[in-house]
């Protein structure tokens, strides 16, 4: 079925949403990391971003299991790459906010793999 130009539905990017055990905790972490406000928070969902722009969502999953990256027995559910100017300074700040450095660091001179408070791997990259 072909769509007419005037019948194409509007699609907007709203958020990337992460499964986690505590949406409020993860929203606070990413709010501090990115300097963005928590724009919505209910018992089972939280959203970080600016009103009217895409954000990061966090959804409560009661039987959530932390990813075991790089072991694939519990695969990662999502992955973010964040740009930084200074790897060491950024890593120190993110660890102070609650991140943990991953044991495996494939390219530590260019990128550091960290784990957020719910165990999701993310990278900081120059």
């Amino acid at each position: 079925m072909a769509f007419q130009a005037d019948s194409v539905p509007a699609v907007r990017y709203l958020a990337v949403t992460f499964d986690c055990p505590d949406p409020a905790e993860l929203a606070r972490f990413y709010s501090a990391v990115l300097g963005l406000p928590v724009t919505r928070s209910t018992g089972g969902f939280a959203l970080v971003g600016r009103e009217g722009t895409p954000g990061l969502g966090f959804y409560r999953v009661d039987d959530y299991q932390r990813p075991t990256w790089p072991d694939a027995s519990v695969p990662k559910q999502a992955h973010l790459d964040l740009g930084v100017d200074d790897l060491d300074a950024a890593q120190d700040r993110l660890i102070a906010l609650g991140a943990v450095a991953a044991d495996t660091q494939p390219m530590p001179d260019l990128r550091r793999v960290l784990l957020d408070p719910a165990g999701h791997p993310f990278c900081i990259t120059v």
Side-chain angles (χ1 to χ4, degrees):
M1 169 191 235
F3 286 102
Q4 298 292 331
D6 60 354
S7 68
V8 175
V11 176
R12 295 175 283 119
Y13 165 66
L14 295 178
V16 171
T17 300
F18 293 86
D19 293 348
C20 64
D22 186 341
E25 174 190 36
L26 212 49
R28 280 190 300 271
F29 172 77
Y30 279 104
S31 175
V33 167
L34 299 171
L36 294 171
V38 176
T39 58
R40 171 187 257 170
S41 187
T42 66
F45 181 77
L47 183 69
V48 170
R50 299 214 188 284
E51 291 294 336
T53 65
L56 293 176
F58 309 99
Y59 180 77
R60 180 184 315 280
V61 173
D62 291 331
D63 60 349
Y64 175 79
Q65 294 182 15
R66 295 174 69 93
T68 55
W69 182 92
D71 172 13
S73 60
V74 179
K76 58 185 177 176
Q77 292 91 3
H79 178 91
L80 289 177
D81 285 292
L82 305 174
V84 300
D85 293 330
D86 181 322
L87 281 172
D88 292 328
Q91 179 172 321
D92 289 346
R93 176 174 178 258
L94 295 171
I95 287 172
L97 290 171
V100 176
D103 291 335
T104 301
Q105 297 292 331
M107 299 183 348
D109 293 336
L110 299 174
R111 171 181 309 122
R112 306 281 169 79
V113 181
L114 302 174
L115 308 174
D116 71 20
H120 298 111
F122 68 98
C123 290
I124 53 174
T125 305
V126 290

